[in-house]
């Protein structure tokens, strides 16, 4: 079973990898791991101009592919992804 330090370390790694790869204006990975499941539960928000004119599903696939390539996905049980353009992020902040 994983512990809180491990989940926090993996959440930080997810955040660092996504922020760097997508040249994110904003990137945060919240650790929602509750110890009930055998993997980590994260909520990831990535704001990047690389998502301009990219369909939502494709954005999610890009993020999943990156995390799989980095061998991070094997330890994640649930990943909620918010992948937004800067304009979408701005609108959400105002709304």
């Amino acid at each position: 079973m994983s512990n809180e330090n491990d989940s926090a370390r993996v959440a930080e790694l997810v955040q660092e990898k996504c922020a760097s790869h997508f040249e994110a204006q904003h990137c945060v990975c919240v650790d929602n791991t509750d110890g009930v499941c055998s993997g980590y539960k994260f909520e990831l928000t990535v704001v990047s101009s690389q998502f301009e004119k990219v369909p939502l599903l494709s954005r999610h696939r890009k993020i999943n592919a990156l995390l799989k390539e980095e061998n991070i996905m094997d330890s994640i049980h649930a990943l909620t992804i918010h992948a937004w353009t800067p304009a979408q992020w701005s609108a959400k902040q105002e709304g």
Side-chain angles (χ1 to χ4, degrees), residues 2-15 18 28-34 37 39-45 63-64 67 72-82:
S2 57
N3 66 38
E4 189 174 316
N5 290 335
D6 288 340
S7 64
R9 181 181 53 78
V10 174
E12 185 175 321
L13 181 62
V14 167
Q15 183 172 313
C18 288
V28 64
C29 185
V30 176
D31 181 4
N32 293 323
T33 304
D34 55 16
C37 299
Y40 306 128
K41 291 176 16 179
F42 299 137
E43 182 173 355
L44 176 65
T45 301
I63 291 170
N64 280 313
L67 298 179
I72 299 171
M73 284 304 293
D74 291 341
S75 62
I76 297 175
H77 171 75
L79 179 62
T80 300
I81 299 173
H82 306 285

Side-chain angles (χ1 to χ4, degrees), residues 32-90:
N32 293 323
T33 304
D34 55 16
V36 174
C37 299
S38 62
Y40 306 128
K41 291 176 16 179
F42 299 137
E43 182 173 355
L44 176 65
T45 301
V46 182
V47 179
S48 173
S49 57
Q50 291 184 21
F51 296 144
E52 297 285 349
K53 298 182 181 177
V54 176
L56 183 60
L57 185 57
S58 295
R59 297 174 192 182
H60 286 218
R61 287 180 176 154
K62 287 175 182 280
I63 291 170
N64 280 313
L66 171 67
L67 298 179
K68 185 174 183 181
E69 180 180 298
E70 295 289 336
N71 295 316
I72 299 171
M73 284 304 293
D74 291 341
S75 62
I76 297 175
H77 171 75
L79 179 62
T80 300
I81 299 173
H82 306 285
W84 295 323
T85 65
Q88 290 170 324
W89 174 251
S90 180

